[in-house]
Amino acid sequence: MDKIIVYGNGNIAKIVYHFLKKKFDVVGFTVDKKYIIETSIEGLPLVPFENVQEKYDVSKYKMIVAIGYIQMNNVREKKYQEAKEKGYNFVNYIHPSVEIHENLKIGENNIILDHVAIQPYVKIGNSNFLWSNTTLGHGSSMENTNWITSGVVISGDVILKSKCFLG
């Protein structure tokens, strides 16, 4: 079971934590020092991102960035890139209710919640967030750092560029 750190301390991080803990060994949270108000979340330590690698060695821990669509997804993209520069690898969270076809191509740092329908031949880039009950139609392609809210249907063979918000 991968040991992971969650980047985030807001509602999204707290909600995603409850999904993650069923599949991963979540060991802590991290955010930029200026955003730390309390020292723990859900009983786990919250450490400053500036020196997260001192507590959580990049060779032993992975990360997932669980923050919302702040500034049209720019903040999530920036933190993902900064964590990559620190040397972290990333996990995808895909809820067990999601059927994964053998021809799905998916990057890293994606969060796909419950009852998302992903049809054959879909491509998903990095750092996307698909909330519950969305549909990605056959052959569609999603680039990076998108936010898809509950109930959205993306039809077949659609190309969704980066940093989109659909709801």
Side-chain angles (χ1 to χ4, degrees), residues 92-151:
N92 286 318
Y93 173 76
I94 302 174
H95 190 273
S97 64
V98 177
E99 183 174 348
I100 303 299
H101 297 279
E102 69 276 357
N103 51 29
L104 171 66
K105 293 182 181 170
I106 187 166
E108 62 183 11
N109 195 51
N110 293 290
I111 298 171
I112 302 173
L113 295 183
D114 52 322
H115 306 292
V116 171
I118 301 174
Q119 295 179 350
Y121 304 103
V122 167
K123 296 175 188 166
I124 300 172
N126 300 319
S127 205
N128 293 290
F129 197 113
L130 287 80
W131 207 272
S132 307
N133 299 308
T134 61
T135 299
L136 293 177
H138 59 86
S140 60
S141 177
M142 177 183 298
E143 290 184 358
N144 303 311
T145 322
N146 293 292
W147 186 275
I148 313 300
T149 64
S150 294

Side-chain angles (χ1 to χ4, degrees), residues 16-139:
V16 169
Y17 163 74
H18 287 281
F19 286 95
L20 291 169
K21 70 181 184 175
K22 295 174 183 175
K23 186 175 180 179
F24 300 103
D25 182 8
V26 181
V27 296
F29 292 82
T30 187
V31 291
D32 294 8
K33 187 175 184 176
K34 66 183 176 182
Y35 298 115
I36 294 179
I37 298 168
E38 45 195 357
T39 59
S40 68
I41 297 174
E42 300 285 344
L44 297 173
L46 174 60
V47 301
F49 184 65
E50 292 82 354
N51 58 350
V52 66
Q53 67 276 18
E54 292 171 18
K55 182 167 177 80
Y56 300 113
D57 185 306
V58 298
S59 67
K60 297 178 183 168
Y61 299 91
K62 295 181 180 179
M63 192 174 288
I64 194 162
V65 181
I67 57 176
Y69 48 86
I70 303 163
Q71 298 175 10
M72 280 309 293
N73 299 305
N74 285 326
V75 175
R76 192 167 70 258
E77 178 187 49
K78 180 180 179 194
K79 294 306 164 186
Y80 165 67
Q81 291 299 331
E82 288 176 4
K84 263 184 110 54
E85 289 169 12
K86 287 179 181 282
Y88 282 101
N89 290 313
F90 295 84
V91 297
N92 286 318
Y93 173 76
I94 302 174
H95 190 273
S97 64
V98 177
E99 183 174 348
I100 303 299
H101 297 279
E102 69 276 357
N103 51 29
L104 171 66
K105 293 182 181 170
I106 187 166
E108 62 183 11
N109 195 51
N110 293 290
I111 298 171
I112 302 173
L113 295 183
D114 52 322
H115 306 292
V116 171
I118 301 174
Q119 295 179 350
Y121 304 103
V122 167
K123 296 175 188 166
I124 300 172
N126 300 319
S127 205
N128 293 290
F129 197 113
L130 287 80
W131 207 272
S132 307
N133 299 308
T134 61
T135 299
L136 293 177
H138 59 86

